[in-house]
Amino acid sequence: MESIKYTKGLTFDDILLIPQYSEVVPHDCIVSTKFSKHIKLNVPLVSAAMDTVTGSAMAIALAQEGGIGVIHKNMPIAEQHAEVQKVKRAESGMIQNPITITKDSSIGQVKDLMEKYGISGVVVVDASKRLLGILTNRDIIFEKNLSKTVCEIMTHQELITAPEGTSLDKAKRILKKHRIEKLPIVDKNGRLKGLITVRDIIKKMEHPNATIDKMGRLCCAAAVGTDKKTIERARALIDAGVDALVIDTAHAHSKNVIIIAKKMKHLFPDIELVVGNIATQEAATKLMRLDIDGIKVGIGPGSICTTRVIAGIGVPQVTAIQECARVARKKRLPLIADGGIRYSGDIVKALACGASSVMIGNLFAGTEESPGERVQLEGRRYIEYRAMGSLSAMPKGSADRYFQEGAKKFVPEGVEGRVPYRGYVRDVIFQLVGGLKAGMGYCGAQNIAALQRKARFIAISSAGLREGHPHDITITKESPNYEIRGV
Ligand code: XMP
């Protein structure tokens, strides 16, 4: 028998970056990057398309901080459509399609609309979209008779409006001058074209790093799979305004996924398309031929994954990133390193190896914005976090990720558990970006491209790894960026 051939694979704990002469301090480091060919991020962080990680709340928070969230797909198409809409409506320069109502509608209907969309006012228009007035919370808050019509309540004095093309700065001045909260934008015939609100302007000032589209709305990605309804789902997500679609599978180097990716590229040529997951050069080369906008790398590194033990398959994540980056780099194709990030140092290593951004599940699952179930145990707070290939997640829609769609009985490739509560995601991001910038400073790299160019690695032993963690001490105070984690 021929001897077994193998290559050696390394992961985050196997390597360190070697410090280098530096003229750069962390504060000066710029961490902007690309999620996909046309989506720029100010922070290289992406939240995982998992049903205990990314719904609209997480996607909004990530985009506000300069990253992006990928809304999971373990829900009916209409629900995922609504989640994307929530992100796209959360913040904008100008709201393109403001919620409107007619003057014959009842106050009860107005209240329902405001509650449904979480807004403080609606614009009143006639059948041809001509602006008639605005009704705000203040106008209706004390109104007990819910069957009264909008016409009876709304103020009929002349409205302050602005023409199409009004800049945000100009709008700000008008809002200030007239001490109003909402400025309808109308065309020459008085038809409603948009709405600029004080709330949106304030949000913009609060989140200067936000990932936004051409119209100033937060960016949002969403997952699709490979099942029968994939095209229908994609169409609905695009209709909701999604910026990127992510074909999310456990093995993208396979015929079905390639067929779906080709079809999507053909049907929706204007939408950013990211495909994953892969872990080899051959897979990256094959996917790149499809002219997609990003690849996602990682087979089995995730904290909840059992693919490697159940199927005996995988590539340690550092090697997987390096292999795929070798080909992606040639075409400047953004590469998302997905899974296995336990500390900020892992992000530095992933980017230095050639990733453009990292996708995170576990570290974000414990935050206020995650949709996971909250649990209290012995006085401590936790949030449930489960694999998309776990027994309870697969029947909800993720079975096709593991090519088990329609199965009566599943072979899980992931576990279910809980993670400690970690507060708001912006605070987690602050620590992760802080660690990343520290690492870049040690390498003398002011930006991610320089980090990738300059990086030199050293392989370490288990003694070296032990030495790198706190040792010979009982930790008595929790640190915001370090905790001892199990295997
Ligand atoms: P972390 O380490 O951040 O990883 O928790 C999140 C990533 O894990 C992947 N994922 C899975 N991988 N079986 C797997 O092999 C699963 O059931 C599973 N569920 C999620 C996914 O790529 C995610 O982004």
Side-chain angles (χ1 to χ4, degrees), residues 426-455:
R426 63 168 179 267
D427 297 325
V428 174
I429 291 174
F430 176 82
Q431 291 299 334
L432 295 179
V433 172
L436 167 60
K437 288 184 173 182
M440 291 165 73
Y442 280 109
C443 292
Q446 201 178 3
N447 53 43
I448 292 173
L451 178 68
Q452 294 174 345
R453 222 173 29 248
K454 297 184 72 168

Side-chain angles (χ1 to χ4, degrees), residues 296-421:
K296 195 148 69 70
V297 173
I299 301 212
S303 61
I304 30 54
C305 304
T306 53
T307 296
R308 291 188 188 166
V309 273
I310 298 305
I313 294 297
V315 176
Q317 186 68 341
V318 157
T319 299
I321 300 169
Q322 280 181 326
E323 287 294 297
C324 296
R326 210 159 275 160
V327 283
R329 189 176 295 132
K330 289 184 194 149
K331 295 249 157 101
R332 294 171 170 255
L333 187 71
L335 184 162
I336 303 157
D338 176 15
I341 301 294
R342 303 163 75 213
Y343 299 101
S344 51
D346 299 337
I347 301 176
V348 193
K349 295 172 191 176
L351 298 176
C353 286
S356 320
S357 64
V358 296
M359 178 174 262
I360 292 179
N362 186 310
L363 295 182
F364 291 160
T367 63
E368 194 60 44
E369 292 83 352
S370 92
E373 195 83 19
R374 273 60 178 155
V375 270
Q376 189 98 12
L377 216 76
E378 291 167 0
R380 294 198 79 115
R381 294 160 83 187
Y382 297 88
I383 302 186
E384 283 178 1
Y385 178 44
R386 71 179 184 198
M388 292 300 270
S390 63
L391 269 190
S392 58
M394 279 205 278
K396 302 265 183 223
S398 49
D400 64 334
R401 190 178 199 269
Y402 303 91
F403 309 97
Q404 296 184 42
E405 185 197 359
K408 287 203 181 71
K409 204 167 166 187
F410 296 110
V411 180
E413 289 190 30
V415 297
E416 304 167 47
R418 58 171 182 265
V419 291
Y421 176 75

Side-chain angles (χ1 to χ4, degrees), residues 168-226:
L168 274 193
D169 274 344
K170 179 90 193 288
K172 219 190 297 181
R173 285 198 294 277
I174 301 173
L175 290 162
K176 186 173 165 221
K177 181 171 166 208
H178 297 280
R179 294 164 185 260
I180 50 173
E181 304 249 326
K182 296 183 194 322
L183 180 66
I185 306 296
V186 291
D187 68 11
K188 285 195 283 286
N189 302 314
R191 283 200 187 87
L192 183 70
K193 288 290 162 188
L195 184 70
I196 297 179
T197 72
V198 169
R199 190 167 93 162
D200 282 307
I201 291 179
I202 292 173
K203 278 192 199 160
K204 287 236 152 314
M205 295 189 314
E206 282 172 354
H207 306 291
N209 266 341
T211 309
I212 49 173
D213 65 18
K214 282 191 206 122
M215 290 185 264
R217 302 174 302 178
L218 295 177
C219 284
C220 168
V224 295
T226 54

